[in-house]
Amino acid sequence: DVKVTQSSRYLVKRTGEKVFLECVQDMDHENMFWYRQDPGLGLRLIYFSYDVKMKEKGDIPEGYSVSREKKERFSLILESASTNQTSMYLCASRGTSLTGELFFGEGSRLTVL
Amino acid sequence: AQRVTQPEKLLSVFKGAPVELKCNYSYSGSPELFWYVQYSRQRLQLLLRHISRESIKGFTADLNKGETSFHLKKPFAQEEDSAMYYCALSYNQGGKLIFGQGTELSVKP
């Protein structure tokens, strides 16, 4: 059974704190993604990585950074959390085929107070 | 720029009625299109992809390049179809995948 695992299901942080969201996949996928899911806005791509140490900005990268030191792990970092970053964060992975399925984690719900 | 638009936030139908969830895309190349679904308290999962030309759970979707659309259809909706549906576009550069705003389908008994 393929798996994308996000380390935290629920987090509550204070404004200005540094936040790490971790994601691990066990499918040996080259591509990994971080999306933000908000009602009425759908899924918006924050960053994606197509190889170890390689990354590309998505549509809403401001206020976020990422790290991919190993193929199976992709981390999302909020350097200084703000209230407008309260959201559901989804990690996903897929292989190199353009028609390949995207596999999602269960999501991390972040609340910034 | 590449874009996926789902014009309806909410679609409410009665059981047994036909359903059509609209999706329009903007992409100058040859698109790869998908529908993903999220049932209550479950993770997002693939429903179908246009290249497969398959019917999944009674749903079909046809790519219309002239109208740049990929609408999802089902002739007879069931209550268990109630979920959030997202249309997605995959394009070059490592398989980047972008999504529309989502449509919530509610099937009433």
Side-chain angles (χ1 to χ4, degrees):
Chain A
D1 192 21
V2 296
K3 273 286 175 56
V4 177
T5 305
Q6 295 183 229
S7 56
S8 305
R9 293 293 307 276
Y10 301 94
L11 301 95
V12 180
K13 298 292 182 180
R14 297 208 174 272
T15 302
E17 280 192 84
K18 191 168 186 176
V19 181
F20 291 88
L21 299 179
E22 304 284 338
C23 175
V24 177
Q25 52 97 0
D26 64 359
M27 295 163 282
D28 201 36
H29 283 162
E30 288 76 9
N31 296 309
M32 295 189 74
F33 304 77
W34 276 106
Y35 292 92
R36 176 176 166 159
Q37 184 181 32
D38 298 288
L41 298 176
L43 274 71
R44 291 179 292 167
L45 182 62
I46 305 172
Y47 268 97
F48 87 103
S49 169
Y50 49 91
D51 202 348
V52 174
K53 297 189 188 294
M54 306 303 286
K55 62 186 179 185
E56 189 169 317
K57 292 180 180 179
D59 297 320
I60 53 164
E62 297 79 17
Y64 304 94
S65 62
V66 290
S67 171
R68 192 160 180 209
E69 297 296 319
K70 293 185 178 181
K71 190 175 186 180
E72 67 271 18
R73 188 179 298 271
F74 191 35
S75 303
L76 181 69
I77 303 152
L78 288 67
E79 294 289 342
S80 178
S82 62
T83 55
N84 62 12
Q85 292 178 309
T86 291
S87 186
M88 173 68 85
Y89 290 88
L90 298 178
C91 176
S93 74
R94 76 190 294 209
T96 54
S97 169
L98 285 180
T99 61
E101 180 175 354
L102 192 63
F103 293 92
F104 282 90
E106 290 186 294
S108 297
R109 182 165 293 283
L110 172 66
T111 301
V112 183
L113 303 176
Chain B
Q2 295 76 21
R3 183 175 292 179
V4 177
T5 303
Q6 294 177 251
E8 302 137 330
K9 283 188 178 180
L10 172 66
L11 191 60
S12 185
V13 301
F14 286 102
K15 178 182 171 181
V19 168
E20 181 178 68
L21 287 78
K22 291 184 168 48
C23 172
N24 289 91
Y25 66 90
S26 173
Y27 179 53
S28 57
S30 185
E32 300 294 343
L33 289 155
F34 307 79
W35 278 96
Y36 282 79
V37 61
Q38 189 170 31
Y39 300 102
S40 179
R41 290 186 291 279
Q42 293 187 27
R43 64 181 74 193
L44 262 164
Q45 57 188 283
L46 177 67
L47 179 62
L48 56 80
R49 64 193 107 189
H50 96 267
I51 197 167
S52 302
R53 295 185 172 274
E54 56 197 346
S55 174
I56 303 292
K57 300 184 178 183
F59 284 98
T60 58
D62 291 318
L63 176 60
N64 186 323
K65 291 188 178 182
E67 295 183 358
T68 59
S69 68
F70 188 56
H71 303 329
L72 184 67
K73 300 177 184 179
K74 184 169 183 176
F76 307 104
Q78 303 300 314
E79 289 180 68
E80 55 265 31
D81 296 329
S82 295
M84 196 75 182
Y85 291 80
Y86 292 95
C87 183
L89 167 70
S90 177
Y91 59 101
N92 56 3
Q93 297 170 341
K96 202 169 174 179
L97 197 70
I98 59 172
F99 287 80
Q101 302 91 326
T103 297
E104 182 181 355
L105 175 63
S106 174
V107 182
K108 300 184 188 315

